[in-house]
Amino acid sequence: MSCSVPRPVAWGTVSSSSPSSASPTPGPIADAAPLSLCAREPHVPADRLVAEMVPPPRFDAVRFSTYIPDPNQPSQTEAVQVLEGFAAGLDGAAAGGSGKRRLFGFGKAPKKAPSGPRGVYLDGGYGVGKTHLLASLWHATPAEPALKAFGTFVELTNLVGALGFQQTVKTLSGHRLLCIDEFELDDPGDTVLVSTLLGKLVEAGVALAATSNTLPGKLGEGRFAAADFLREIQGLSAHFRTLRIDGEDYRHRGLPEAPAPYSDDVVTKAAHATEGATLDAFPDLLEHLARVHPSRYGALTDGIRAVCLTGVRPVPDQSTALRLVVLADRLYDREVPVLASGLPFDQLFSEEMLKGGYRKKYFRAISRLTALARDAGRLAGSE
């Protein structure tokens, strides 16, 4: 199915320029039609996929000094101290080559890492600042950005899908540090894949850091027959020293209430009046996401300052839902407001999905899309 909105001139290869950080503002009705996500088919070179593994824009300025520990939670202060020491222990010496030479596996062979835990694992509830601390570790590690990688667990598995396993190992083996945010194991395939990947990276001397809401020894529980993959799960746990970060756990607050959706007419007018906005029918966008590899969803949103969607409705199946989760993450990282008609975002996923093995991903997507929908209120003139 093609998009049901007017399309701009064909994009071809999407520009690799960073999206604007300025907040979108509605203006006079534009002569040109809005942009369309469905009209974009980004072709992202492998070196860009790796180069973009940095903390998202909203965490550009965070540092250990900007993390304010709760005085009633000593584990938060301890975590900062441990991570500062961990960063200082990474001397920034290149593990092997640089730039494109490392990308394709050339350069000096990396030094083997010592035995024992080679990373830190931040465990705690939502809202205690785990991602803030992980990004601060990335910034504090004394190595050039090309020797450090930061991405979500989904981005890491998508990188493997885009480059292939062996190429991913060669590429990341040249790094000093790999930071993995929102670490989760949702299926046995990911368990074996990530266990093997991290094992090879540790052997190559790469330090690891990760965040999750699940202790490393408990990963996979409730999602599949974890006992059948106990060896792999225990192998993952052995790579990390766990730091428990206590604090108020936002999981017990339930889902945020999504703002009421707007009419198709309001959404369409806002798209025409907002520079850099896209306008797509929600069902068409879901179909388009199936044709674009998730590793390219970041490029799909390059330069976009607002996303306008008509006809939001429940996602039809789990594969579609997981692709939407990835898009929601990329939009949230870039702080792109989302204005929509149809159903509110807290009705995107079925009750069965919200009780299944991917429930954490779906709750996160609802929370993030809801936040972006609130940000979009000013585009419709409701703020």
Side-chain angles (χ1 to χ4, degrees):
M1 181 184 297
S2 62
C3 290
S4 59
V5 297
R7 295 189 180 189
V9 176
W11 280 87
T13 300
V14 173
S15 167
S16 61
S17 61
S18 299
S20 171
S21 60
S23 298
T25 54
I29 299 297
D31 293 331
L35 306 175
S36 169
L37 292 176
C38 292
R40 294 182 151 207
E41 297 182 2
H43 302 285
V44 184
D47 55 348
R48 175 180 169 178
L49 289 177
V50 180
E52 288 188 338
M53 292 190 71
V54 297
R58 63 174 59 239
F59 292 102
D60 279 345
V62 302
R63 299 293 188 273
F64 289 127
S65 60
T66 64
Y67 180 82
I68 310 300
D70 184 342
N72 297 317
Q73 302 292 347
S75 62
Q76 296 184 11
T77 299
E78 179 186 5
V80 172
Q81 295 171 345
V82 170
L83 291 173
E84 286 179 328
F86 186 76
L90 302 175
D91 59 16
S98 63
K100 291 187 177 181
R101 287 177 59 80
R102 285 190 297 101
L103 176 64
F104 295 103
F106 303 121
K108 183 179 178 182
K111 181 181 179 181
K112 296 296 182 181
S115 59
R118 181 60 181 161
V120 290
Y121 192 98
L122 309 181
D123 178 76
Y126 297 121
V128 297
K130 300 187 301 300
T131 302
H132 183 138
L133 290 172
L134 189 69
S136 298
L137 172 64
W138 188 93
H139 289 298
T141 296
E144 59 181 286
L147 297 178
K148 303 181 286 187
F150 184 108
T152 64
F153 179 82
V154 171
E155 288 177 298
L156 181 62
T157 56
N158 285 340
L159 182 68
V160 177
L163 299 184
F165 182 82
Q166 294 300 332
Q167 189 59 61
T168 303
V169 172
K170 290 179 181 179
T171 300
L172 295 181
S173 290
H175 285 62
R176 297 299 297 161
L177 173 69
L178 171 61
C179 295
I180 310 170
D181 200 19
E182 299 165 359
F183 202 114
E184 276 296 340
L185 297 180
D186 300 306
D187 60 58
D190 281 349
T191 302
V192 176
L193 173 71
V194 175
S195 176
T196 305
L197 174 64
L198 296 188
K200 290 186 176 296
L201 294 180
V202 168
E203 290 176 1
V206 181
L208 307 174
T211 71
S212 182
N213 305 298
T214 307
L215 290 169
K218 301 295 185 180
L219 287 167
E221 286 190 353
R223 294 161 181 77
F224 55 87
D228 295 338
F229 295 87
L230 185 59
R231 177 175 59 84
E232 285 81 1
I233 294 171
Q234 289 177 335
L236 284 174
S237 180
H239 295 317
F240 297 99
R241 170 188 173 180
T242 299
L243 294 177
R244 175 69 190 181
I245 304 177
D246 298 311
E248 184 177 1
D249 190 340
Y250 289 88
R251 287 174 293 189
H252 300 303
R253 291 190 173 184
L255 287 174
E257 183 178 354
Y262 296 89
S263 68
D264 287 354
D265 185 57
V266 168
V267 172
T268 301
K269 287 182 178 179
H272 280 270
T274 305
E275 181 182 359
T278 62
L279 176 61
D280 295 282
F282 185 69
D284 295 348
L285 177 60
L286 295 183
E287 289 192 9
H288 185 63
L289 293 180
R291 296 189 290 270
V292 178
H293 193 277
S295 65
R296 300 174 180 176
Y297 287 4
L300 188 69
T301 63
D302 273 352
I304 298 302
R305 302 182 66 189
V307 168
C308 297
L309 299 171
T310 58
V312 171
R313 64 188 187 189
V315 293
D317 56 74
Q318 193 143 261
S319 295
T320 302
L322 291 173
R323 287 191 289 268
L324 183 60
V325 167
V326 177
L327 179 64
D329 286 341
R330 300 293 78 76
L331 293 173
Y332 184 78
D333 288 344
R334 290 158 173 78
E335 300 179 305
V336 179
V338 179
L339 190 73
S341 67
L343 292 178
F345 288 129
D346 56 9
Q347 296 182 32
L348 279 174
F349 308 110
S350 68
E351 196 68 27
E352 182 180 1
M353 290 180 181
L354 294 178
K355 292 180 179 178
Y358 297 104
R359 58 188 177 276
K360 287 186 178 180
K361 286 182 170 62
Y362 299 146
F363 285 136
R364 184 177 78 242
I366 292 172
S367 176
R368 291 184 167 185
L369 288 172
T370 294
L372 296 178
R374 289 174 178 153
D375 292 343
R378 62 184 179 276
L379 305 181
S382 60
E383 289 187 0

